Every structure is written in structure tokens, then in C-alpha cells.
Amino acid sequence: MQLPEKFIEKYRRLLGDEAPAFLASFDQSSHSGFRVNPLKAAPTATIDKATGRVPYVPTGYYGMVDGKSLDHVTGAIYSQEPSAMYVGEVVDPQPGERVLDLCAAPGGKTTHLVAKMKDTGLLVANEIFRKRAMVLAENLERWGTRSTVVMNESPADLEEQFSHFFDRILVDAPCSGEGMFRKEPAGIEYWNPDYPAECANRQRKILASAMRMLKPGGILVYSTCTFAPEEDEQNLAWLLATYPDLKTVPIKKYPGMDDGRPDWADNNPALADAVRLFPHHIAGEGHFIAKLQNGEPAAGAVPAPAKRRRKKKQRHQQRSGLDKAAQAEFAAVRDALQPGYEPKRLLTFGDQLYALPAGMPADLAGMTILRPGLHLGTFKKNRFEPALAWALATDPATCPTTLALDHDQWRQYVHGDVVTVESGHPNGWYLLTCDGFATGFGKLVGTTVKNFYPKGLRF
């Protein structure tokens, strides 16, 4: 790999005797991996092809993923680079907490947080760039989550909605990407000696917003996929100097993981609590992770709420609850597919129906939200059509009307074709399954399953 000469000079100076091994690692192959979704059936077809376990992630494996496999399409697995998997383990969100993934696209770390939280509480996944936010929403839908809201906001605007709100915040910051040069060589073209400092400045603004959204006593995890001290130890040092109530939390180091380097910043020994993942030491790409805890406020002190911004215009009117006709249309489908399901807060955007997570603030006006919870379906003329997201978030064991497809029928289904089944089943809505995985909804008429798999996802 042709690395910039200034990059080589920089890391020869920083790493000394280790530099030759570090620089040689860029000519070695990158490592692929995947995580399994503990909320769904075991993806044995993919696990059987794995080349090993990722030792620091209980659900992590080394190996390639077929993006058109049943395991992937139904959200039983997520393709993720092995080093990146450790970020979710460090965040370690607990069930029922309020968690923010501030720079979330494409969703690998977000899906990990969903799994660690057992899809309870509230997870806000935010991405400032709309196209990337759309990919994030699609990946979370496939993973199958009821507790996640996908937003498309700047961190500065988001902080006005969520002042001192979250128990844990992950800032997986946009960075110079040095740690991904092997995996994404095009990133080398953007690198110059000043680029890490430019990124560090942007990262500090994001971190300042994160701090305004973090509860007293809350956990902040800051991660990058770069080796640059400007973006790693020096930003951690800046956090500790700027926010005296913040304290580092030591991160468990597995074999091949390195301490943070205090000598690459202000020599504060607390910087060693962070973890560095170097590709010449571990089977993965480059990462930096730091974990911090916010101090409790002084007795009687209450954080000042942020000022609310001027609200944006909404494309569709937001309404809570349903009128009698809409309620009856939804109830007819729900009683067939999941009769015990009682969403606490229903929300409509235009003709779309969502189940809002319980911990989400009710006033969403003015916020750019791509997915305000679980997408339940669409109101058509005198009927309700259930959404794929609802199917993928449903445990088949909770559904009294399931219809098992074989692999050939599943291929017909994801291609958008009608599926023919044996007679003997009553007409109506069914949760379609294959090998125990929920794959979507279909409406049976006679022996024909009408296909409602979204056109944009067919293959």
C-alpha cells in the first residue's frame, strides 16, 4: 500500500522501534467479521462458515457474510469489522436505560447497543447526513427493534431537545479514518498532515453537544477509527481539562490491546485507561476507545435546561392516538398477528403508524425523525397494511398465525413474487417464516400468498 510520506514520517517518530511492524501491517489483509443477533434464532448457516470467535465479544465471529443470505436479510447477523465490535462492549448499555448513539450510521454499533439493551428502554440513533441516516434506518429495521428512534439532526440541534437526558452516550466520531486504510484505501486520498487536527476540532464540537445531553453520573464513550493522537489522546485530554467532573473509566484490555498513550498528549496518566487497537497487535483494524463517567452535581444543583429552538415545518402532521375507524382497522390486523401486543403510545405521520418507545419525549415537533419507533404499517382505503419492520421485530412464538416457507418459497418472496402454498389454511394475514426466522407478512387467499415485501428491497 502506498502511504503518504508524511504519514510514514509521523508514525516512525511516534512509534519508534514498533514503526516497521506497524507500517508493514498495511500490506496485510484486513479482517472480516460478523455479530449474531441474540434476540433472534441462531444463524447456524453463517456460524458454521465462521473462521473463529472474536475473543472480546461474546456474539462476535470472524468470517464473511453473504448479504443476500436468509441470516442477513432477516437480521440474524450483522457484518462488522472485529475491532469495531469492541466499542459496543465498552459502552455496555443496560436494559431500560436511555442511550444515544450520536454519530450512528451505518448502524453496526447501534445494533450492538440494541442487543445489549435487550431492545428495552430507549435508544436514539442519530446521523447528521440524510443518505447515511436512511441506511441506518434500514439496517435497524432489518435487525428488528421496537425501542429505537432514528433521527437526522445536527448534534447542536439535538442537544436542545435532550438536555441532560441520556444515561449513556456513544460518540463514534467522524475522523481521519487512518485505522481503516487497509479496508478502505480510498481514504488515503483525503489524508494530509493537517487533516487529523481539522477532524479533532470538529470532534470537540460534537463532544461538547454530547456533554450537554449526558445525565449527571452518566457514561460517555468516545471512539475513533484513527491512530492520530490529535483525535484520540489529545481530545481525551481536552475533555478531562474542559469538564472537571469527568473521570476516565478503565477499559478491560484483552491480549493484543494497548493502553492509551499519555505521552502523546499532556502526560495525564488517566489517558492510559483508554484502549488502542493496532493492526500489528490484534486481528482487526485500528481503533481508539475511551470511557468516561460524568460526576454527580453538587447537592441542590439542577442542570439548566437548554433553550428550545424554533421548530421546523413538518412534511406530515404528527398525531398521537387513532380515531375509531383507524383503531378498528389496526386492531383487526393486530388481533390476527399479535393479539397480546398493546403498544403504549401510537403515533401517525401522514398515513404511517408507529409505536413510539415509552421513554421518548412526546413533543417531537420540529425534529427531523426518520423512524419514530417501530413502524407498524400503513393505512390504506378502509384497511391497514402491516409493515416489514413489525414482522422483523416479532418473535414467531408470539404470533398465532405463522406460515412456514421453504428456501425456494423464501427466494420467491424476496423477489416479489406471489407464493403458492398447500391448502388447509384460513384466509388472512400471516407472519411468514423460514428456518424459524420472521421474514415478513403476507396475506393468504386460497393457496396464494399475496406479497407485501417492499419493492425497494426485492432481489
Side-chain angles (χ1 to χ4, degrees):
M1 179 178 290
Q2 189 65 41
L3 295 168
E5 189 59 37
K6 293 292 186 181
F7 178 90
I8 295 172
E9 291 176 6
K10 177 179 181 178
Y11 286 100
R12 280 177 175 164
R13 173 174 51 83
L14 288 170
L15 289 170
D17 292 343
E18 277 198 69
F22 169 73
L23 294 171
S25 72
F26 287 90
D27 291 321
Q28 299 167 3
S29 299
S30 62
H31 295 269
S32 298
F34 63 90
R35 284 181 300 100
V36 301
N37 188 341
L39 307 178
K40 297 193 175 186
T44 53
T46 303
I47 290 175
D48 288 346
K49 298 177 183 178
T51 57
R53 299 291 297 267
V54 177
Y56 44 87
V57 181
T59 56
Y61 292 80
Y62 296 105
M64 298 292 293
V65 166
D66 178 356
K68 294 184 178 180
S69 67
L70 175 67
D71 291 349
H72 182 264
V73 172
T74 58
I77 56 175
Y78 192 101
S79 177
Q80 189 176 27
E81 188 277 314
S83 292
M85 296 181 191
Y86 197 44
V87 176
E89 292 296 316
V90 171
V91 178
D92 194 27
Q94 300 301 300
E97 289 185 331
R98 295 174 173 178
V99 179
L100 170 65
D101 189 350
L102 188 52
C103 313
K109 298 176 180 70
T110 317
T111 57
H112 199 164
L113 302 183
V114 172
K116 299 281 283 186
M117 296 168 70
K118 303 186 186 302
D119 198 25
T120 65
L122 171 67
L123 175 58
V124 175
N126 183 73
E127 174 57 45
I128 190 172
F129 297 106
R130 187 169 183 85
K131 286 185 178 180
R132 287 173 55 81
M134 297 293 286
V135 172
L136 169 66
E138 183 179 310
N139 285 334
L140 283 165
E141 176 177 293
R142 185 171 60 250
W143 191 252
T145 171
R146 297 169 182 260
S147 64
T148 306
V149 174
V150 178
M151 305 189 71
N152 174 215
E153 289 284 354
S154 71
D157 284 342
L158 205 66
E159 71 183 57
E160 299 177 10
Q161 177 74 32
F162 296 106
S163 178
H164 309 290
F165 184 84
F166 293 102
D167 299 296
R168 295 177 196 249
I169 297 178
L170 168 61
V171 177
D172 184 47
C175 66
S176 58
E178 295 174 356
M180 292 292 144
F181 282 176
R182 289 196 310 191
K183 198 173 182 68
E184 300 172 6
I188 297 174
E189 299 175 12
Y190 299 98
W191 192 91
N192 65 70
D194 297 325
Y195 190 38
E198 294 170 5
C199 292
N201 183 58
R202 180 168 62 246
Q203 291 154 359
R204 292 182 182 188
K205 293 176 182 177
I206 295 172
L207 287 166
S209 292
M211 286 302 299
R212 296 185 186 103
M213 292 184 276
L214 187 65
K215 280 183 176 180
I219 294 292
L220 171 68
V221 172
Y222 174 66
S223 65
T224 74
C225 56
T226 187
F227 307 111
E230 301 93 322
E231 304 172 70
D232 296 343
E233 285 87 355
Q234 291 172 27
N235 265 351
L236 178 55
W238 173 83
L239 273 171
L240 294 173
T242 306
Y243 302 95
D245 289 337
L246 274 181
K247 304 296 180 185
T248 56
V249 177
I251 297 173
K252 182 177 180 179
K253 313 296 199 305
Y254 288 81
M257 296 183 182
D258 293 279
D259 291 343
R261 296 287 299 266
D263 56 314
W264 288 357
D266 61 358
N267 288 307
N268 183 344
L271 303 186
D273 289 336
V275 61
R276 276 186 169 272
L277 284 76
F278 283 109
H280 62 299
H281 288 168
I282 201 165
E285 307 311 297
H287 255 76
F288 173 87
I289 313 169
K291 187 173 187 177
L292 307 103
Q293 185 164 26
N294 200 14
E296 295 287 351
V302 178
K307 295 181 180 179
R308 295 295 300 274
R309 63 178 175 169
R310 186 175 60 193
K311 295 179 179 180
K312 303 174 185 176
K313 293 182 179 179
Q314 297 279 340
R315 180 180 296 180
H316 299 297
Q317 184 178 5
Q318 166 195 326
R319 292 188 294 116
S320 296
L322 300 175
D323 59 32
K324 288 185 177 180
Q327 178 65 42
E329 293 165 7
F330 168 64
V333 175
R334 179 207 55 201
D335 292 347
L337 296 173
Q338 225 177 347
Y341 178 44
E342 292 287 347
K344 302 298 183 183
R345 301 169 66 191
L346 292 173
L347 189 74
T348 56
F349 276 81
D351 57 1
Q352 305 300 310
L353 179 65
Y354 293 85
L356 192 69
M360 189 68 179
D363 182 11
L364 303 178
M367 304 301 293
T368 306
I369 301 175
L370 300 186
R371 188 184 190 274
L374 176 62
H375 185 203
L376 293 173
T378 306
F379 287 102
K380 305 284 186 174
K381 186 176 181 180
N382 299 322
R383 62 187 173 88
F384 179 76
E385 185 176 297
L388 175 64
W390 186 9
L392 295 177
T394 298
D395 180 353
T398 67
C399 181
T401 50
T402 61
L403 196 59
L405 307 180
D406 60 31
H407 280 255
D408 287 337
Q409 291 171 320
W410 175 73
R411 292 187 187 95
Q412 291 175 331
Y413 175 69
V414 295
H415 190 256
D417 304 329
V418 296
V419 178
T420 301
V421 298
E422 295 182 358
S423 59
H425 301 282
N427 291 343
W429 284 103
Y430 285 83
L431 176 67
L432 307 179
T433 67
C434 185
D435 286 354
F437 298 114
T439 65
F441 291 124
K443 194 168 189 180
L444 182 64
V445 179
T447 59
T448 299
V449 179
K450 293 186 177 180
N451 197 322
F452 291 86
Y453 198 69
K455 291 182 179 179
L457 299 179
R458 294 176 183 178
F459 62 92

